[in-house]
Structures are given as structure tokens and as C-alpha cells.
Amino acid sequence: MRPKCTKEQRTLGKEKTAGMWADIATERENYVNKATELASKYKITCIWMSKQLYMGAKQLVVRRKANAFNKAVKREANRHREQESLGRDGLAIIARDLSATGTWRNEESDEETSSSEEERPTHVKKVTAKTIANEIECTMTRVVDPQVAGLSQRTGCKIWYGITRGDVKDNFNPRTYASPEITDACMNLFKMTPDEMALKIDAYITGGLGAVVHVSGERKTTFYRKNIRDMVTFGLYTLLTSMGHNKTSLPAMAYANYEALVVEWGVELVGWTESQIVNPGDIQSSVHLKSLVTALQSGACCWHQLDEDEWETLKEGDRQQDLAGVKKTRAKRSNAGKPRKN
């Protein structure tokens, strides 16, 4: 059993830990400052320079010092070359003879040869896209994947991670790891596997919405409509949850009954780019759909909570219409009765 630490030992341990993290913070700051300085000096991006500084340290190749036997072989080979040409098997013959006789143990190496062998300059390698790709592949395959698989087996937790490129010029493929249960959940919830989701996220990061459409093979209008529905529903649920409503009792986003939703829940969708809030499937123009997607992404179109006076006015107007027997109807779609192209 491990003995308990004394109060003084615990205090010293805390001080040592605090000092260590203070030194780490200082060196991190120095690293960032140096990367920024060099990037500015040589007109290169800070990200590229950081890769060279951080990963490049692992790429430093230091030649091993030649041992006494190798020095003796080289010295004998130089002597033979001065007297006559050295054949293809000359080095092997010299090494075998020296090893058999053992005379190299008693010979002292020449000072100049010794210094030239021991003080060879360090060769610095450039960190390339291939270097980074190999680093990611080796780290994930040999270190991370076995660790997360073991963690899942030991604890029963379900794990999902994904790695995507940061730039279209990066020389590696997106990769994911997902427990079978997570894969099943993704298929039922999002109708795609974690690998497919990683590909779409990678395409969006490196090429924007157009690249996602190209990767997924969907028509632009279909893709835009799906994004609009997802963002509208997510925004509605986020606002209602922040207002204190239970997640299990949130309403579905029914575009045909939008006015009723506003009256019942006291929220409204502002910034809609069309003249009327309708189901995205009723918007036929890809240009209009893209404008709406942009508005939702930028926050220009979002859900807004009504103040008490506005909400009471709407509810009172709704009650009066009910008392008068007025049926609230929406304008008929221009393409009503026609099959939708979705």
C-alpha cells in the first residue's frame, strides 16, 4: 500500500506542479511569438511556420558518431585508394581482415579524421504535406485507435471522433472512429454513416457548400432545402429550451401552421428572405434558397421571443377570431396540385 504524503510533501508537490505549468505557459508563449516572428520575417503563414517548428523537431536527423572500427576501415580504405584503385568488394575485404587480426583496437585515429567524423552538422528536414499525413496516420493507427477501443471495452462508453483536413491542399484523407452503436444512431437520425458525415464536414471546411453538394451528389435545391429545415428546427428548439420549456414537449416545425405556433409559444421567425414563411419545398429557385441559407447561417434570419405585450395582443386577436368563427387560412401555393421536385 502506498504511504500517505505528509502535509509538507503535498504542499511541495502543489508548488512543483504550479511551477511546471507556469514554465509550460511561458514556453508556449515563446513558441507562439517565435512562430509569428519568423512568419512575418519570411512572409509565410503562421500556421505553416508553426508546423515546421513543432513537427520539425522530430525530423532532425543527427548522424551517429563513427566507432573505432569504422574509423579504422575508412582509414585503411583511404590508404588503398592512394596506392591503387579499390574494387567493389574492397571495403568488405578490408573490414574482414581488420576484424580477424584485431589490429584496429591498438591504432589511434587521426585527429583530423576524428573531429570530422564526430562533429558532423545536423541535417534539418522540411516538414511537407506527406510528413504531416504520415504523422496523422501513424499516431491514430498505432496510438489513438487502440487506446479508444480499449477505453470503450473497459468502461462501456461509446466513442466517436473525426479528423478532417484544414485546407484543400492537405495530403491526407478524413478519418473517423465510431462505436457500432453510434454508427447505428447516425444512420437512424441523420441517414448517413459517421464516415459520410466526416466527408461532408471535410468538404464544407475545405470548399464550402458547393463542395458538399459535389461530394454528396445531391441537387443544389435538395441540399439547400434540407439545410434550411435543419437550421430552422434547431434554432426553434434552442430558443424554446433557453426559455425553460421541456425538451420532450417541444413542437414540430409545421410551416403550414406557423401562425398558430407563434401564438401558442410566443416566438417568431424574423429575417425570412421570402415574402411569406413557407415550407422550403415550396421555394423553387435555387438562388432564393441559397439567400435563405446565407441569412440563417449569418443570423440575419433567426427565431425571436415576443415580449409580453406582443404575445398578449396576438393571443387576444386569435381568441377574437375563434369567437367570430373566422377560419384562418394561408395563401394557396402557386404550384398547388403539381408534383414537387425535391
Side-chain angles (χ1 to χ4, degrees), residues 26 29 50 69-70 85 95 110 120 156 169 200 236 245-246 275 290 321-322 324 329:
T26 301
E29 184 177 359
S50 297
F69 179 76
N70 290 340
S85 61
D110 182 80
R120 294 185 179 183
K169 294 180 288 186
K200 288 192 174 184
L236 174 62
H245 294 287
N246 193 317
S275 59
K290 185 174 182 181
Q321 287 185 339
D322 287 341
T329 60

Side-chain angles (χ1 to χ4, degrees), residues 82-100:
E82 291 175 358
Q83 299 172 3
E84 54 184 318
S85 61
L86 191 65
R88 186 174 63 178
D89 299 327
L91 281 177
I93 296 172
I94 292 172
R96 186 169 59 248
D97 292 343
L98 286 175
S99 178

